[in-house]
Amino acid sequence: MNRRDLFLRWIGVIIRQGSVFLATLLSLFPVYFMTVSAFKTRAEYIADKWGPPNSLYWANFTTAVAGEKFFIRFANSAILTVGSVAVSLIVACLAAYAFARMEFPGKRTLFNLILSLMVVPPVVMVVPLFVSMVRWGLVNSYTGTTLIYIGLLLPFSIYMMTNFFRTIPWEIIEAARIDGCSSFGVLWRIMMPLSAPALITLIVVNALWVWNELLIALVFMQKDELKTLMVGIAALRSRNYVDIPATMAGLLIATIPILVVYMFGQRYFIRGLTGGAVK
Amino acid sequence: MQKKIEPFLYLAPALLVFILIFGYPLARLAVMSLQRPSQGQQTFVGLTNYKSIFSDSVFLTAVKNNAMLLICVPIMVVIALILAVFLFERIRGWQFYRTTLFLPYLLPITVVGLVFSYIFQLSGVLNEFLALIGLERLGLDWLGSPRYALYTLMFVVIWKEVGFGVVLFLARLMSVEEELFDAAKIDGANWWQLQWYITVPQLATVIEFFTVVSVITMLSWVFNYVYVMTAGGPGNSTMVTELYIYLTGFRYNQMNIASAVAVLLLLVTGVLIFLELRLRERSELMQVVG
């Protein structure tokens, strides 16, 4: 290899590493900024916004948790997330079983119809849903809001579970049927256990979605004691007094569940979110 | 007989939810968009609501801003493509980079939006940095000025959504047979030729998918960014269709006007999805229920 090639190769490495490194720096900066600010006193934050804190100032977390009914909001988000993820998972598995393993008239049409619901923007649904929920007396209730989340989670969940169920070999099912397993037994004892990786992926992706959701929570959980964490956070923007370090501490607490889940379940995230497109 | 009913027993819970959450409300939406309240009663007024939104300058601003946001899409595709190719070349630490580049996509927009609004404050960390490197003249009121607020917003949208593209493209590249690249290299293809003749054609379907998803995002999934960072301001300079629906429906209590806008938004999204499904059917990328 002559010197010119060697030189070009080095330039190539530098450009690659440089641009990827820069992109990573940009990706991480807000999280870094949030974390270091959460441990600074207010005076420290004003004096130095960039650097790490001089010492860990934990009082911000106490302030964040004490104000804004933090625990109630946290609990509300958790209730909605657990409820809607659990119910939608069961409903989706039942439906996916029919789509993957049974024949019935109109199957393809129905499936495509459900797929198309995947992209209906929530904002389109919010007005008529509100009118309907008022009529059904379900505004400002966990039931009503959970029901809406279930509806919005179902299309993707059904799509994903149908795809996965179809990969389970017929022979296993046939064998179970011959051994006297009922149709529901096949789903419960064979399909579900074999689908554990897909189920975990779905739980992780759906939980993230509900946890992060703002619009539905804003409209359907208006009572102060029902507000979710994200609604509470969004309201901080319009505050006149701003204790930025304490706010950052609150934001950090709200983000930590996601960071933890991401660290342990990274491959499930990536599989779940790209699974629809890359086959 | 039992065989015929069985599938529907499994489908019943899902269908019930769909009727309650999509079917009935969508029908209500269509009807409401054609009505107006008068003397406590909803009366049919034809297309009056649709006509009146097109003479509302705020709505037109919102549509214009959504159109502006579409500029993000090609930028995102190019950035994601470059990063995915670099990672695919197995540069040192590529797995770590993939993890970090994907992280923004998972963070709540509400949290990220708030953090960014502190970063972009007039006395925020960005302007301090610019002053530090002697560029204080570039310091702007990034979110507070009607001229720049939308561009700042676009930056944040790109920042958050581009990681999805990177991971998507990378996953597809990894499923391409290595021989294809090797063969091209043996034939003496240089780096650019390799990307142009192998990478891009191999990624065509996922690029198309990412483009469609991003277009839909720009038109109908940016509510959170706007609500948290600018609330449409200053002076409607960052008003978008979604926020317009939310405000007319829930702040000004004009549910019928909001419904008309929602119907239009649904139609636009519907057309896009229809086109995408047709494209996909053609490319046979999606082989779901046979």
Side-chain angles (χ1 to χ4, degrees):
Chain A
M1 193 177 279
N2 62 38
R3 282 179 61 176
R4 188 175 158 272
D5 282 352
L6 205 65
F7 176 73
L8 281 178
R9 168 167 284 209
W10 267 103
I11 293 284
V13 168
I14 289 167
I15 290 176
R16 283 182 185 84
Q17 287 284 359
S19 49
V20 173
F21 185 72
L22 193 72
T24 301
L25 225 53
L26 269 175
S27 297
L28 291 181
F29 182 72
V31 177
Y32 165 81
F33 180 58
M34 174 168 73
T35 312
V36 293
S37 304
F39 289 102
K40 287 176 183 169
T41 63
R42 263 200 272 185
E44 219 184 322
Y45 174 81
I46 292 164
D48 171 27
K49 297 197 174 74
W50 282 95
N54 294 331
S55 61
L56 300 183
Y57 183 67
W58 289 95
N60 288 327
F61 290 88
T62 331
T63 318
V65 170
E68 315 298 333
K69 305 193 178 69
F70 195 88
F71 282 116
I72 302 174
R73 307 258 145 97
F74 202 94
N76 284 334
S77 286
I79 292 170
L80 290 175
T81 304
V82 172
S84 51
V85 169
V87 178
S88 66
L89 199 70
I90 296 166
V91 176
C93 283
L94 291 171
Y97 184 43
F99 280 121
R101 287 292 174 238
M102 293 172 195
E103 285 307 323
F104 55 91
K107 179 164 114 170
R108 218 201 145 96
T109 317
L110 190 60
F111 191 77
N112 284 337
L113 203 65
I114 292 175
L115 273 193
S116 64
L117 293 179
M118 210 149 44
V119 284
V120 173
V123 72
V124 167
M125 303 306 302
V126 117
V127 169
L129 272 174
F130 187 76
V131 176
S132 311
M133 288 289 167
V134 168
R135 172 174 292 187
W136 301 330
L138 288 174
V139 174
N140 280 322
S141 75
Y142 293 107
T143 322
T145 312
T146 308
L147 192 65
I148 296 174
Y149 283 140
I150 295 169
L152 296 177
L153 292 179
L154 269 184
F156 177 70
S157 309
I158 293 178
Y159 168 70
M160 187 164 159
M161 291 320 295
T162 304
N163 270 349
F164 200 85
F165 283 168
R166 288 172 64 83
T167 64
I168 297 172
W170 269 110
E171 293 77 32
I172 301 179
I173 298 161
E174 291 295 314
R177 290 309 288 262
I178 291 165
D179 290 345
C181 200
S182 68
S183 142
F184 183 75
V186 170
L187 174 63
W188 187 244
R189 296 220 179 82
I190 316 270
M191 309 280 266
M192 299 281 276
L194 285 176
S195 309
L199 290 172
I200 296 172
T201 304
L202 203 54
I203 290 173
V204 167
V205 173
N206 284 348
L208 179 81
W209 193 85
V210 178
W211 185 264
N212 289 354
E213 206 283 334
L214 177 67
L215 179 63
I216 304 285
L218 202 60
V219 172
F220 292 91
M221 299 294 251
Q222 293 180 355
K223 269 198 196 143
D224 199 44
E225 69 270 22
L226 289 176
K227 282 182 178 158
T228 66
L229 203 52
M230 292 306 147
V231 173
I233 288 170
L236 291 175
R237 196 193 78 93
S238 46
R239 273 296 147 77
N240 287 329
Y241 92 92
V242 196
D243 183 348
I244 293 180
T247 308
M248 292 296 198
L251 297 180
L252 192 58
I253 302 175
T255 318
I256 281 172
I258 297 164
L259 293 178
V260 170
V261 175
Y262 184 49
M263 263 185 254
F264 289 103
Q266 199 207 123
R267 64 204 174 100
Y268 294 110
F269 271 113
I270 291 178
R271 191 190 303 162
L273 291 165
T274 58
V278 186
K279 294 240 75 182
Chain B
M1 192 60 212
Q2 200 210 343
K3 264 257 175 276
K4 274 194 176 156
I5 311 176
E6 205 191 9
F8 293 101
L9 290 177
Y10 286 97
L11 288 171
L15 293 180
L16 183 70
V17 174
F18 284 135
I19 290 166
L20 287 177
I21 300 301
F22 288 101
Y24 176 74
L26 279 177
R28 271 307 284 267
L29 179 72
V31 173
M32 277 169 68
S33 76
L34 300 171
Q35 289 177 328
R36 266 203 189 171
S38 76
Q39 292 147 3
Q41 283 246 313
Q42 292 282 347
T43 40
F44 183 78
V45 291
L47 295 176
T48 316
N49 293 328
Y50 292 90
K51 278 182 205 137
S52 67
I53 49 177
F54 280 102
S55 53
D56 183 352
S57 67
V58 180
F59 172 73
L60 297 175
T61 310
V63 171
K64 198 195 83 205
N65 287 340
N66 277 110
M68 281 291 287
L69 284 172
L70 289 177
I71 299 173
C72 296
V73 177
I75 300 175
M76 275 159 54
V77 171
V78 170
I79 295 177
L81 204 55
I82 293 173
L83 291 174
V85 167
F86 286 173
L87 292 188
F88 181 63
E89 289 168 345
R90 308 292 152 91
I91 62 167
R92 198 179 289 257
W94 70 273
Q95 277 169 315
F96 167 76
Y97 287 131
R98 183 181 62 174
T99 306
T100 50
L101 291 175
F102 193 49
L103 181 65
Y105 188 70
L106 304 173
L107 298 176
I109 301 175
T110 320
V111 168
V112 166
L114 207 58
V115 174
F116 267 115
S117 59
Y118 295 136
I119 292 176
F120 288 126
Q121 265 177 347
L122 196 54
S123 60
V125 69
L126 175 64
N127 285 346
E128 265 188 21
F129 174 71
L130 290 173
L132 194 74
I133 56 172
L135 291 171
E136 55 266 86
R137 279 194 300 160
L138 285 183
L140 295 169
D141 193 359
W142 299 95
L143 282 166
S145 108
R147 263 184 79 184
Y148 303 110
L150 189 64
Y151 296 102
T152 309
L153 214 61
M154 282 161 72
F155 171 82
V156 178
V157 175
I158 295 173
W159 175 87
K160 183 147 162 47
E161 309 277 339
V162 86
F164 179 54
V166 175
V167 169
L168 204 61
F169 295 166
L170 188 60
R172 177 72 188 95
L173 274 175
M174 285 178 164
S175 68
V176 175
E177 281 149 45
E178 293 271 348
E179 290 91 52
L180 218 53
F181 290 100
D182 294 339
K185 274 182 212 157
I186 290 165
D187 288 345
N190 66 29
W191 191 83
W192 292 106
Q193 287 168 330
L194 205 66
Q195 306 315 324
W196 187 249
Y197 291 108
I198 312 282
T199 308
V200 172
Q202 287 296 320
L203 284 179
T205 47
V206 269
I207 291 177
E208 170 204 303
F209 172 79
F210 182 61
T211 306
V212 174
V213 169
S214 305
V215 167
I216 292 172
T217 305
M218 298 311 155
L219 298 182
S220 56
W221 293 79
V222 290
F223 175 84
N224 292 13
Y225 296 102
V226 180
Y227 184 82
V228 175
M229 292 175 63
T230 63
N236 288 330
S237 61
T238 55
M239 178 61 71
V240 290
T241 326
E242 288 165 272
L243 188 68
Y244 183 85
I245 294 176
Y246 174 78
L247 292 178
T248 30
F250 297 98
R251 193 154 303 166
Y252 309 125
N253 260 317
Q254 294 178 305
M255 293 278 187
N256 303 87
I257 301 280
S259 302
V261 181
V263 168
L264 291 179
L265 189 59
L266 187 63
L267 286 179
V268 173
T269 329
V271 168
L272 284 168
I273 289 310
F274 180 73
L275 290 177
E276 161 70 0
L277 283 176
R278 291 302 290 270
L279 281 169
R280 284 189 140 210
E281 244 164 50
R282 204 188 56 201
S283 61
E284 286 175 328
L285 183 73
M286 199 170 58
Q287 296 151 340
V288 197
V289 170

